[in-house]
């Protein structure tokens, strides 16, 4: 007998519907899987055989041919265990097949018939809803994750016996319901608060501007000046995720297999901090079957690169295209996959190899040649893409011992949200999300300068040798500063402050 069951295969953060056709016919007993299965899918033959027997079902001692369609799409991972098991049960008439076409099955099967969670359940659920599948059957641990998608009945089960009972008596089972927007409302207060930061007024101001406009930021200063402490507090002043943004972020983490430790919906903006020994593929994503890298896992959040100059130069160059375009494309022989990568880059670095150039207490031991080689690790085009370059100086003794707290993150976030509201009102009819995403035509429209401001900017371009891209970045930052001030027009003080955030340009 022939049976067909629906499943899905991941392609990037999307999914494609896959048919699992099972034919049981005469011949020597055995299982053959065709349709470009990878090693994990080939191994499912033995897992499914043992699982069905241990769950109390008869395994047909006949020739079984399993075809995964479309045949030209590479199938990977253990997620096809459950649909293959259901297909064999249906083809051997051990379960009811009347409504089999309505369901999409997904899950790994243990040797005792227990269902194990798989990566990408949310992405597959979103695809199932789009193509008109009414119901999704998944392991119980994936159920709440998939149920976030509206308009789809999700059933979660612990073992093959429960799945078989569901197919035979579907009316006895109730789908899992999750109110995604209510889940999102459970956002936690930031655990790292700006009130813990003593002094550093300019650096705190730069964090606020970065959060309000989505600008990239680098802190330059000696060891122990608080660069990392400041950077880790940026997510706490960013606006909360909208439901659509939360779905995007959750989908990426689901595909990467990281959602099990974070619940069914990611409620807080991501903060990723890869080590400086990270490779290019780990940063942008890759592999034979491309998976998202750190920059995609930081989508809608913060990517923090501590000790920026310790990263290999060729690895940092991978950031140039995603910083400009907001996505990364990974090409392989059989397919090309695009991952979203709209993140705020925050980096920190010392001003020289010894770390004390310009320090008021400890003398720098580096030669001019050593400092030049140190900064040569960062290319000009990459630094042009960083809007805010801020010097973080050593704290004064009286600042270290002061008992008063700084301004709390929640109050800073209120100003950030008001500034974002102003920019959203301005961007009506556009696809822009924040000031950092403005293009040249937007700058001409919303960043017009008077004569005084224009002369100030022209002088800065001449003295600092700024590129056209760096000049545009100054205008974007000035626009954000104006929004924080509640001003409609970009004025001379806004431009002057924006120019001050080009520390590295002034150092070179």
């Amino acid at each position: 007998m022939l049976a067909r069951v629906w499943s899905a295969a991941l392609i990037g953060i999307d999914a494609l519907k896959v048919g699992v056709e099972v034919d049981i016919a005469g011949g020597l007993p055995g299982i053959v899987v065709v349709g470009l299965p990878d090693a994990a899918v080939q191994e499912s033959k033995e897992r499914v055989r043992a699982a069905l027997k241990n769950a109390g079902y008869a395994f047909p001692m006949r020739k079984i041919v399993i075809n995964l369609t479309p045949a030209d799409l590479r199938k990977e991972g253990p997620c096809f265990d459950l649909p293959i098991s259901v297909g064999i049960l249906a083809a051997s008439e051990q379960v009811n097949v009347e409504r089999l076409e309505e369901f999409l099955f997904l899950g790994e099967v243990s040797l005792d018939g227990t269902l194990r969670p798989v990566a990408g359940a949310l992405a597959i659920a979103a695809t199932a809803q789009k193509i008109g599948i009414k119901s999704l059957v998944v392991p119980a641990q994936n159920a709440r994750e998939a149920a976030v998608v509206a308009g789809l009945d999700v059933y979660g089960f612990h073992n093959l016996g429960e799945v078989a009972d569901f197919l035979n008596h579907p009316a006895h089972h109730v789908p899992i319901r999750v109110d995604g927007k209510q889940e999102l409302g459970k956002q936690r207060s930031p655990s790292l608060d700006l009130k813990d930061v003593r002094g550093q007024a300019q650096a705190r101001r730069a964090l606020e501007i970065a959060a309000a406009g989505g600008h990239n930021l680098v802190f330059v200063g000696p060891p122990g000046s608080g660069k990392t402490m400041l950077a880790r507090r940026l997510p706490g002043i960013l606006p909360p995720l909208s439901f659509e943004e939360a779905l995007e972020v959750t989908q990426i983490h689901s595909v990467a297999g990281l959602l099990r430790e974070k619940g069914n919906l990611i409620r807080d903006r991501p903060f990723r901090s890869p080590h400086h020994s990270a490779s290019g593929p780990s940063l942008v994503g890759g592999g034979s079957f491309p998976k998202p890298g750190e920059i995609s896992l930081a989508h809608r959040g913060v990517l923090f690169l501590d000790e920026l100059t310790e990263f290999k130069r060729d690895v940092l160059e991978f950031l140039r295209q995603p910083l400009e375009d907001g996505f990364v494309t990974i090409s392989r022989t059989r397919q090309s996959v695009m991952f979203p990568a709209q993140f705020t880059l925050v980096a920190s670095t010392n001003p020289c190899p010894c770390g004390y150039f310009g320090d008021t207490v400890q003398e720098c031991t580096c030669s001019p040649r050593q400092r030049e080689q140190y900064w040569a690790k960062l290319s000009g085009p990459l630094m042009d893409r960083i809007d805010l370059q801020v010097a973080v100086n050593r704290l004064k003794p009286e600042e270290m011992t002061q008992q008063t707290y700084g301004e709390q993150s929640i109050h800073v976030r209120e100003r950030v949200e008001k500034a974002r509201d102003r920019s959203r009102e301005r961007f009506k009819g556009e696809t822009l999300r924040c000031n950092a995403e403005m293009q040249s035509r937007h700058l001409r429209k919303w960043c017009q300068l008077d004569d005084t401001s224009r002369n100030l900017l022209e002088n800065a371009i001449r003295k600092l040798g700024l590129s056209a891209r760096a000049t545009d970045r100054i205008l974007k930052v000035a626009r954000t500063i104006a929004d924080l001030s509640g001003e409609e027009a970009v004025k001379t003080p806004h431009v002057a402050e924006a120019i001050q955030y080009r520390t590295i340009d002034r150092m070179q």
Side-chain angles (χ1 to χ4, degrees):
M1 181 178 174
L2 174 67
R4 182 172 64 181
V5 177
W6 294 116
S7 187
L10 289 172
I11 304 176
I13 63 167
D14 296 314
L16 184 67
K17 187 179 180 183
V18 170
V20 180
E21 299 173 338
V22 179
D23 179 65
I24 301 177
L28 291 174
I31 306 177
V32 178
V33 182
V34 296
L36 285 183
D38 75 341
V41 180
Q42 287 285 7
E43 291 171 355
S44 69
K45 296 183 295 185
E46 304 307 321
R47 287 195 298 272
V48 168
R49 187 199 305 270
L52 289 176
K53 288 182 178 179
N54 292 327
Y57 296 96
F59 189 84
M61 297 306 293
R62 305 175 69 184
K63 183 177 181 180
I64 302 174
V65 178
I66 301 169
N67 180 37
L68 307 176
T69 62
D72 61 344
L73 175 69
R74 187 79 173 171
K75 321 300 186 306
E76 66 153 336
C79 64
F80 296 101
D81 289 4
L82 178 57
I84 288 174
S85 301
V86 172
I88 292 175
L89 290 174
S92 58
E93 300 182 339
Q94 298 184 69
V95 294
N96 191 345
V97 298
E98 289 182 5
R99 297 179 56 192
L100 207 56
E101 292 282 325
E102 299 177 8
F103 306 118
L104 190 147
F105 296 85
L106 176 74
E108 180 184 346
V109 176
S110 296
L111 298 186
D112 62 354
T114 302
L115 301 187
R116 294 174 54 83
V118 294
L122 178 58
I124 292 173
T127 297
Q129 192 266 343
K130 289 177 185 175
I131 63 179
I133 293 289
K134 296 180 179 179
S135 303
L136 183 67
V137 178
V138 297
Q141 289 174 265
N142 285 130
R144 290 187 63 81
E145 168 191 344
V148 170
V149 178
L152 184 70
D153 289 335
V154 177
Y155 297 88
F157 300 108
H158 294 91
N159 54 60
L160 283 176
E162 293 180 0
V163 176
D165 182 69
F166 166 71
L167 292 173
N168 292 326
H169 309 98
H172 296 172
H173 298 267
V174 178
I176 292 175
R177 303 294 182 192
V178 173
D179 188 336
K181 294 186 178 179
Q182 184 177 359
E183 286 288 316
L184 191 62
K186 299 176 183 178
Q187 286 175 324
R188 299 178 291 272
S189 299
S191 56
L192 298 175
D193 201 295
L194 268 177
K195 71 177 183 180
D196 301 325
V197 179
R198 295 185 175 96
Q200 306 297 6
Q202 186 184 34
R204 291 171 61 102
R205 171 67 170 172
L207 277 179
E208 184 175 340
I209 294 171
H215 302 290
N216 301 318
L217 167 67
V218 62
F219 289 125
V220 183
S225 56
K227 303 185 295 295
T228 302
M229 185 180 186
L230 284 159
R232 291 188 178 278
R233 280 152 178 76
L234 178 57
I237 62 173
L238 287 170
L241 287 170
S242 66
F243 181 66
E244 291 73 20
E245 289 176 332
L247 277 180
E248 287 180 27
V249 173
T250 305
Q251 192 164 325
I252 295 170
H253 284 72
S254 173
V255 169
L258 301 176
L259 199 57
R260 299 170 201 173
E261 57 202 58
K262 298 178 181 176
N264 53 291
L265 188 68
I266 292 179
R267 304 187 294 271
D268 303 313
R269 292 192 179 272
F271 182 89
R272 304 294 298 184
S273 180
H275 190 260
H276 59 73
S277 62
S279 65
S282 71
L283 207 60
V284 301
S288 301
F289 299 96
K291 297 293 184 184
E294 291 291 339
I295 63 174
S296 293
L297 294 173
H299 181 62
R300 303 298 188 192
V302 177
L303 176 69
F304 176 47
L305 301 183
D306 199 7
E307 303 298 342
L308 183 65
T309 49
E310 296 300 323
F311 284 80
K312 294 180 181 177
R313 177 167 176 149
D314 60 332
V315 172
L316 293 177
E317 292 305 296
F318 281 115
L319 294 173
R320 286 166 57 176
Q321 182 256 336
L323 283 173
E324 199 70 24
D325 300 334
F327 63 87
V328 60
T329 302
I330 301 172
S331 297
R332 293 292 179 266
T333 304
R334 291 185 176 272
Q335 63 181 349
S336 180
V337 176
M338 186 180 76
F339 291 116
Q342 291 183 328
F343 58 91
T344 298
L345 173 65
V346 181
S348 69
T349 183
N350 295 330
C352 65
C354 78
Y356 295 102
F357 179 67
D359 188 42
T360 56
V361 177
Q362 191 158 338
E363 186 178 353
C364 174
T365 60
C366 303
S367 67
R369 177 61 178 167
Q370 287 176 316
R371 288 196 293 269
E372 183 181 342
Q373 291 176 337
Y374 182 77
W375 285 109
K377 298 177 183 178
L378 306 177
S379 69
L382 174 64
M383 298 312 298
D384 276 352
R385 288 170 168 81
I386 298 180
D387 308 358
L388 301 162
Q389 304 167 0
V390 182
V392 182
N393 299 316
R394 181 194 295 267
L395 287 176
K396 298 175 182 178
E398 57 270 23
E399 290 176 324
M400 293 184 190
T401 58
Q402 69 182 11
Q403 299 299 316
T404 57
Y405 289 106
E407 188 177 20
Q408 293 183 356
S409 291
I410 190 171
H411 299 144
V412 178
R413 186 164 66 180
E414 289 174 0
R415 293 197 297 271
V416 167
E417 289 178 356
K418 289 179 181 178
R420 290 254 185 164
D421 289 341
R422 293 187 187 98
S423 62
R424 272 194 295 269
E425 184 68 25
R426 187 166 57 248
F427 296 151
K428 279 186 177 179
E430 300 279 352
T431 57
L432 301 176
R433 182 178 55 93
C434 57
N435 290 334
E437 297 177 3
M438 290 192 294
Q439 303 298 321
S440 296
R441 62 186 180 89
H442 303 125
L443 295 177
R444 289 193 297 270
K445 182 177 181 181
W446 291 313
C447 298
Q448 296 181 7
L449 304 179
D450 57 26
D451 292 340
T452 305
S453 301
R454 189 178 297 106
N455 290 336
L456 178 63
L457 182 57
E458 288 173 357
N459 289 332
I461 294 171
R462 280 192 290 268
K463 290 181 180 178
L464 302 179
L466 299 176
S467 67
R469 181 183 285 114
T471 303
D472 286 349
R473 301 279 173 178
I474 288 176
L475 289 174
K476 293 176 186 180
V477 171
R479 176 66 270 173
T480 300
I481 295 171
D483 288 339
L484 284 168
S485 302
E487 302 279 355
E488 287 298 323
V490 176
K491 298 180 179 178
T492 303
H494 307 144
V495 176
E497 184 178 357
I499 293 172
Q500 292 302 308
Y501 297 119
R502 303 302 301 185
T503 295
I504 296 178
D505 293 326
R506 298 198 304 271
M507 290 175 62
Q508 296 176 323

